[in-house]
Amino acid sequence: MQKTSVNNLVRSATFFQHAGISIIFVFMPIIAKGVTDSIFEIGLLVASFSFAQILSEIYFGRHSDKKGTRLKFIRIGFIGCAIAFGLHYFADDLGLFFLVRIAAGVASGIMIPAMIAYTYEANIDKKRAATVISFHALGWLAGIAAAGIANDLKLIFLLSAASFLIGLLFTIKLPNPEQVKEITPGTTKKVISKNKFLFLSLLLRHIGAAAVWVILPIMIVEKLGGEIYHISIVYIANTLTAFILMNVMASKIHLSNVTKFKIGIGGTTFVFVGLSVVTEWWMAMPFMSLVGATWAFLFIGGNFHLMENNPRSTSTGIFSSTLSIATVIGPVVAGAIAYTFDYVAVMYFAIAIIICAFVVSLKIKK
C-alpha cells in the first residue's frame, strides 16, 4: 500500500480519535456543574480521566514496544473508547461520572502512544509525519465545533461514541508491520532518566495549562458574558492554529526539535498573562490562538526528539502520561485556588509555574 494511502487512513483515524475525546473533554467542567456545585469536586472529576490515562499510557506504550506491533493497541483503544464514552450518556450522578471518566481514560491511553509511534514509523521522511499528527488538532476543532452546534450536553456523548466507531473503520485497511521488539529490562526508567528535563518542563507547563482549562469554560459563561457555543468558538481558535502550524512545520520551519519544544514551553507564559486581563469572551480568542501555536511547537518538537533517540512507543507513552499527570494535578490545584481566592488567581499560578518550566527546558541538550 502506498505511503500516501496509509497516511490518509491514519489522518482519518487520528481525526475521529481526537474528535471523540474533545467533544466531551472541553465541556466537562460545564457538564460536571450539572451534578455538583463544588468547584473542587469539578476539579477532581476532570482529573479522574487523566489519572486513569497515566498508568494506561505508560503500561500500554511500553507493551506496544515489547510486542513490536502498534495496530492491535490502536484498534482495541477505539473499541474501548466507543464503549466508555458512550456510557457517559447514562451517568446521572457524581459517582457514575467518576467511573465512566476513569474507564474512558484507560481506553484512550491504550491507543494514544501506539498511534503516534505508528504515524512516525509510516513515514520515511519523518518531517512529513507532522502533517499526519496535525489531524489530532483538526479533530479537536471538529469535536469542539460539533459540541457547540449540538448544544446538548447529553447528545454529545453519543456523538463521541460514534466518532470512535468511525475512526475504527479507517484502521481496518491499515497494514500491520512488525517492529523490532524492545524487550530490554528497565527501558522506561532509562528513558525517563535520559530525558528528565524535557519531561519535567512538560509537566510543569501542563500543570499550569490544565489548571486554567478547568476554570476557563466556567469563566467564559459566568464572568465574561459568553454562552455555551462561545466556548466552542474560543477553543476553535486554539485547534485551528495548531493544525495549520503543524503542517507548516513539515516544510517551512527549519529548527531543531529541542528548539521547537523550548519555544512551545516559554511562549505559553504570554497566553495566561493575556487571559488574566480579558473582560469579554471574544478577547480570549487571540490568546487561545497563541496556545495552539505553542502547543504545535512543543508537541511536535518534544515527541519527534524522543522518537529519534528512544524506543518510540515507550517514550511517546511517557510524554502522554506526563500530560496526564499534569491534568490530574492541574484541576485539583485550580479547584483549590479558585475556591480559596478567585478565577484570576489560577491564571497567576499558571504564569509562575510555566516560567519555571521554561527555565528547566533550557537544560535540555540537542
Side-chain angles (χ1 to χ4, degrees):
M1 187 180 293
Q2 293 182 344
K3 291 297 181 187
T4 302
S5 178
V6 171
N7 277 342
N8 286 337
L9 289 171
V10 178
R11 284 186 179 100
S12 300
T14 299
F15 173 85
F16 285 103
Q17 172 197 13
H18 287 278
I21 294 173
S22 65
I23 286 173
I24 295 177
F25 187 88
V26 171
F27 290 90
M28 203 61 220
I30 302 295
I31 295 167
K33 289 275 286 184
V35 294
T36 177
D37 291 326
S38 168
I39 190 70
F40 184 69
E41 289 182 347
I42 291 172
L44 290 176
L45 184 60
V46 173
S48 65
F49 173 82
S50 299
F51 180 77
Q53 273 190 328
I54 295 168
L55 297 178
S56 181
E57 287 168 332
I58 291 176
Y59 177 79
F60 289 106
R62 180 74 194 113
H63 218 54
S64 172
D65 278 333
K66 284 183 177 180
K67 294 293 184 181
T69 182
R70 316 289 185 211
L71 199 55
K72 177 173 71 174
F73 295 92
I74 293 170
R75 289 172 177 166
I76 291 172
F78 270 112
I79 295 169
C81 282
I83 295 170
F85 281 77
L87 287 174
H88 283 59
Y89 186 87
F90 302 100
D92 55 5
D93 62 46
L94 189 60
L96 288 175
F97 259 117
F98 270 112
L99 290 176
V100 295
R101 291 307 286 163
I102 290 170
V106 171
S108 60
I110 293 172
M111 64 173 163
I112 289 174
M115 180 72 88
I116 296 173
Y118 187 98
T119 303
Y120 187 81
E121 291 160 353
N123 287 269
I124 297 174
D125 180 3
K126 299 308 181 187
K127 288 184 178 180
R128 294 295 302 165
T131 67
V132 182
I133 293 174
S134 72
F135 273 68
H136 96 263
L138 192 62
W140 274 76
L141 187 156
I144 294 166
I149 293 169
N151 201 31
D152 184 326
L153 297 181
K154 293 287 281 186
L155 177 61
I156 61 175
F157 301 140
L158 302 181
L159 292 175
S160 176
S163 184
F164 288 115
L165 290 176
I166 295 170
L168 176 66
L169 296 177
F170 285 101
T171 70
I172 293 174
K173 291 186 177 181
L174 284 175
N176 188 21
E178 290 289 326
Q179 307 298 326
V180 176
K181 295 181 180 181
E182 297 280 355
I183 57 175
T184 307
T187 297
T188 299
K189 188 181 295 184
K190 289 176 183 176
V191 171
I192 293 172
S193 176
K194 179 180 176 182
N195 302 281
K196 56 183 178 293
F197 294 122
L198 187 151
F199 292 130
L200 179 57
S201 59
L202 178 67
L203 177 67
L204 294 173
R205 180 268 180 197
H206 209 63
I207 286 174
V212 172
W213 304 151
V214 172
I215 56 99
L216 184 60
I218 301 172
M219 275 185 64
I220 289 172
V221 173
E222 294 185 358
K223 302 292 184 183
L224 303 179
E227 303 289 341
I228 293 292
Y229 69 91
H230 290 148
I231 299 172
S232 292
I233 294 172
V234 168
Y235 275 81
I236 283 172
N238 174 345
T239 53
L240 181 61
T241 304
F243 173 72
I244 293 170
L245 197 53
M246 284 181 180
N247 278 279
V248 170
M249 279 187 194
S251 57
K252 303 294 185 183
I253 300 177
H254 305 294
L255 299 171
S256 73
N257 288 321
V258 170
T259 300
K260 290 175 185 174
F261 181 80
K262 292 176 181 178
I263 291 172
I265 296 290
T268 312
T269 309
F270 301 103
V271 173
F272 301 119
V273 171
L275 289 177
S276 67
V277 298
V278 299
T279 56
E280 301 284 344
W281 70 266
W282 54 268
M283 293 180 181
M285 292 180 66
F287 298 108
M288 291 301 281
S289 183
L290 181 57
V291 171
T294 58
W295 175 253
F297 273 103
L298 75 86
F299 190 84
I300 295 298
N303 274 302
F304 279 34
H305 173 71
L306 290 171
M307 288 189 288
E308 284 175 358
N309 301 286
N310 305 274
R312 288 165 185 159
S313 193
T314 300
S315 58
T316 57
I318 298 169
F319 187 98
S320 295
S321 66
T322 302
L323 297 176
S324 298
I325 293 169
T327 316
V328 171
I329 299 171
V332 175
V333 172
I337 292 175
Y339 178 79
T340 306
F341 301 102
D342 56 23
Y343 293 145
V344 176
V346 178
M347 301 292 180
Y348 298 149
F349 164 77
I351 293 167
I353 198 170
I354 291 169
I355 290 173
C356 294
F358 179 65
V359 171
V360 172
S361 74
L362 296 177
K363 290 182 169 289
I364 304 171
K365 303 292 190 227
K366 292 184 181 179

